[in-house]
Amino acid sequence: MNKNFTYAALLIVVIGLIGIYVLDIRMSDEVSTQVNVGDDNLQNEQASTEGDVINVDEEIERTKHLQAGRKEIMDGMLEGGLASRIENPSGSPFIYVMEPFYLLSTDEQVSLLNVILYYYMTEDRYSDVLTIFSDETGQEIGTYTPSGLLMGE
């Protein structure tokens, strides 16, 4: 019973941190939108000619100031029992997820994985695939990229 209570409490803390992170991004988006309203046509032309790479690079630059918050969320995942390991050896980030991670909704999982991926991508632009492993089996169970989550059956 205490173990479940601890997981629930830590899950609430992690979700709260995600909420703060998302709110900060939305506030940054509003400021960026207000500043760049006159440049919409130029941005649309650049995005269509240079593809998704420019969007990811711009997102990294725009959210660099969130690194400390991202690290807090990652530490919370480890302390809260959602993950046992989150590492980036040789530019190949990975996470070992634990049972409570599976209890999260897909949107919550994606939010957490996005935090981790952008934490590592901000430091190394080419660390653009987060590999997901099961802590229980040690097997790869999925990947997360800026394009989205891909989980095995």
Side-chain angles (χ1 to χ4, degrees):
M1 185 77 161
N2 276 341
K3 190 174 183 180
N4 289 337
F5 178 75
T6 303
Y7 283 141
L10 290 171
L11 183 60
I12 290 169
V13 169
V14 169
I15 290 172
L17 289 171
I18 291 171
I20 292 168
Y21 175 77
V22 169
L23 180 61
D24 193 29
I25 287 177
R26 286 187 181 158
M27 292 173 89
S28 294
D29 283 344
E30 289 173 10
V31 171
S32 296
T33 301
Q34 291 171 1
V35 171
N36 295 323
V37 167
D39 296 332
D40 280 345
N41 290 336
L42 177 61
Q43 288 177 353
N44 289 339
E45 288 176 24
Q46 288 175 342
S48 65
T49 58
E50 296 179 20
D52 290 337
V53 173
I54 191 163
N55 294 334
V56 171
D57 289 338
E58 287 175 359
E59 183 71 9
I60 289 169
E61 281 302 313
R62 190 177 63 74
T63 62
K64 221 176 221 185
H65 66 283
L66 300 174
Q67 284 297 85
R70 291 173 179 150
K71 180 68 172 141
E72 277 185 45
I73 291 171
M74 291 166 54
D75 290 344
M77 290 179 68
L78 293 168
E79 292 167 8
L82 293 174
S84 62
R85 293 171 62 191
I86 303 173
E87 299 177 17
N88 184 25
S90 310
S92 301
F94 63 82
I95 180 173
Y96 277 76
V97 296
M98 299 170 71
E99 178 126 359
F101 181 83
Y102 301 112
L103 301 176
L104 300 173
S105 71
T106 302
D107 288 341
E108 291 168 331
Q109 291 176 356
V110 166
S111 292
L112 289 171
L113 296 172
N114 190 57
V115 167
I116 297 166
L117 183 63
Y118 273 93
Y119 177 81
Y120 288 120
M121 283 178 62
T122 299
E123 301 302 319
D124 177 5
R125 166 63 183 92
Y126 299 102
S127 295
D128 59 354
V129 176
L130 176 65
T131 306
I132 307 161
F133 293 93
S134 165
D135 182 64
E136 187 177 326
T137 66
Q139 299 294 313
E140 181 178 330
I141 58 170
T143 57
Y144 181 76
T145 68
S147 300
L149 176 63
L150 180 61
M151 294 285 276
E153 294 294 320

Short mmCIF file of all heavy atoms in Angstrom, two decimals, residues 17 41 46 49 61 86-87 107 113-115 125 132 137 148-150:
data_model
loop_
_atom_site.label_atom_id
_atom_site.label_comp_id
_atom_site.label_asym_id
_atom_site.label_seq_id
_atom_site.Cartn_x
_atom_site.Cartn_y
_atom_site.Cartn_z
N LEU A 17 5.39 19.04 -12.70
CA LEU A 17 6.57 19.60 -13.38
C LEU A 17 6.35 19.68 -14.88
O LEU A 17 6.76 20.65 -15.52
CB LEU A 17 7.81 18.76 -13.06
CG LEU A 17 8.35 18.87 -11.63
CD1 LEU A 17 9.44 17.84 -11.39
CD2 LEU A 17 8.86 20.27 -11.36
N ASN A 41 5.12 35.03 -43.60
CA ASN A 41 5.33 34.58 -44.98
C ASN A 41 6.76 34.12 -45.20
O ASN A 41 7.01 33.10 -45.84
CB ASN A 41 4.98 35.68 -45.97
CG ASN A 41 3.49 35.95 -46.01
OD1 ASN A 41 2.69 35.08 -45.67
ND2 ASN A 41 3.11 37.15 -46.42
N GLN A 46 10.68 29.61 -45.80
CA GLN A 46 11.88 28.93 -45.34
C GLN A 46 11.57 27.51 -44.90
O GLN A 46 12.29 26.59 -45.23
CB GLN A 46 12.50 29.69 -44.17
CG GLN A 46 13.17 30.97 -44.57
CD GLN A 46 13.66 31.74 -43.35
OE1 GLN A 46 13.25 31.51 -42.23
NE2 GLN A 46 14.56 32.69 -43.61
N THR A 49 11.02 25.21 -47.88
CA THR A 49 12.19 24.92 -48.70
C THR A 49 13.26 24.15 -47.94
O THR A 49 14.01 23.39 -48.53
CB THR A 49 12.83 26.21 -49.26
OG1 THR A 49 13.19 27.05 -48.16
CG2 THR A 49 11.87 26.92 -50.17
N GLU A 61 16.86 26.06 -30.21
CA GLU A 61 17.35 27.38 -29.82
C GLU A 61 16.33 28.12 -28.95
O GLU A 61 16.68 28.75 -27.97
CB GLU A 61 17.68 28.22 -31.06
CG GLU A 61 19.00 27.88 -31.68
CD GLU A 61 20.16 28.03 -30.72
OE1 GLU A 61 20.26 29.06 -30.01
OE2 GLU A 61 20.99 27.11 -30.64
N ILE A 86 18.31 6.87 -17.40
CA ILE A 86 18.16 7.81 -18.52
C ILE A 86 19.57 8.27 -18.83
O ILE A 86 20.18 8.97 -18.03
CB ILE A 86 17.27 9.01 -18.16
CG1 ILE A 86 15.89 8.56 -17.68
CG2 ILE A 86 17.15 9.95 -19.35
CD1 ILE A 86 15.00 9.69 -17.15
N GLU A 87 20.08 7.87 -19.99
CA GLU A 87 21.48 8.16 -20.32
C GLU A 87 21.63 8.49 -21.79
O GLU A 87 20.73 8.25 -22.60
CB GLU A 87 22.36 6.95 -19.97
CG GLU A 87 22.33 6.59 -18.49
CD GLU A 87 23.15 5.36 -18.16
OE1 GLU A 87 24.00 4.95 -18.99
OE2 GLU A 87 22.93 4.79 -17.09
N ASP A 107 -0.42 10.40 -23.94
CA ASP A 107 -0.03 11.82 -23.97
C ASP A 107 0.99 12.15 -22.89
O ASP A 107 1.94 12.89 -23.13
CB ASP A 107 -1.26 12.72 -23.81
CG ASP A 107 -2.15 12.73 -25.04
OD1 ASP A 107 -1.68 12.34 -26.13
OD2 ASP A 107 -3.32 13.14 -24.90
N LEU A 113 8.80 11.82 -22.63
CA LEU A 113 9.83 11.42 -23.60
C LEU A 113 10.32 12.62 -24.40
O LEU A 113 11.50 12.72 -24.72
CB LEU A 113 9.30 10.31 -24.51
CG LEU A 113 8.96 9.00 -23.79
CD1 LEU A 113 8.26 8.04 -24.75
CD2 LEU A 113 10.20 8.36 -23.17
N ASN A 114 9.41 13.54 -24.70
CA ASN A 114 9.78 14.76 -25.41
C ASN A 114 10.76 15.60 -24.58
O ASN A 114 11.73 16.14 -25.11
CB ASN A 114 8.52 15.57 -25.74
CG ASN A 114 8.83 16.71 -26.68
OD1 ASN A 114 9.33 16.51 -27.77
ND2 ASN A 114 8.51 17.91 -26.24
N VAL A 115 10.51 15.70 -23.29
CA VAL A 115 11.41 16.43 -22.40
C VAL A 115 12.81 15.83 -22.46
O VAL A 115 13.81 16.54 -22.60
CB VAL A 115 10.87 16.42 -20.94
CG1 VAL A 115 11.93 16.90 -19.97
CG2 VAL A 115 9.62 17.26 -20.83
N ARG A 125 22.69 18.07 -31.33
CA ARG A 125 21.61 18.14 -32.32
C ARG A 125 21.33 16.78 -32.97
O ARG A 125 20.22 16.48 -33.37
CB ARG A 125 21.95 19.18 -33.37
CG ARG A 125 21.14 19.16 -34.63
CD ARG A 125 19.67 19.45 -34.33
NE ARG A 125 18.87 19.37 -35.51
CZ ARG A 125 18.24 18.27 -35.92
NH1 ARG A 125 18.33 17.16 -35.25
NH2 ARG A 125 17.51 18.28 -37.00
N ILE A 132 13.72 3.33 -26.19
CA ILE A 132 13.00 2.99 -24.96
C ILE A 132 13.16 1.50 -24.70
O ILE A 132 12.88 0.68 -25.57
CB ILE A 132 11.51 3.34 -25.10
CG1 ILE A 132 11.35 4.80 -25.53
CG2 ILE A 132 10.76 3.06 -23.80
CD1 ILE A 132 9.99 5.12 -26.11
N THR A 137 12.54 -6.46 -18.66
CA THR A 137 13.08 -7.47 -19.58
C THR A 137 14.42 -7.07 -20.19
O THR A 137 15.14 -7.92 -20.70
CB THR A 137 12.11 -7.72 -20.75
OG1 THR A 137 12.00 -6.52 -21.54
CG2 THR A 137 10.74 -8.15 -20.24
N GLY A 148 7.42 11.55 -33.35
CA GLY A 148 6.46 10.91 -32.50
C GLY A 148 6.97 9.63 -31.85
O GLY A 148 8.13 9.25 -31.98
N LEU A 149 6.04 8.96 -31.15
CA LEU A 149 6.31 7.76 -30.39
C LEU A 149 5.99 6.53 -31.22
O LEU A 149 4.93 6.46 -31.83
CB LEU A 149 5.47 7.76 -29.11
CG LEU A 149 5.54 6.54 -28.21
CD1 LEU A 149 6.94 6.35 -27.65
CD2 LEU A 149 4.53 6.69 -27.06
N LEU A 150 6.89 5.56 -31.20
CA LEU A 150 6.66 4.28 -31.86
C LEU A 150 6.94 3.19 -30.83
O LEU A 150 8.10 2.98 -30.43
CB LEU A 150 7.58 4.12 -33.06
CG LEU A 150 7.46 2.82 -33.86
CD1 LEU A 150 6.05 2.69 -34.44
CD2 LEU A 150 8.48 2.77 -34.96
#
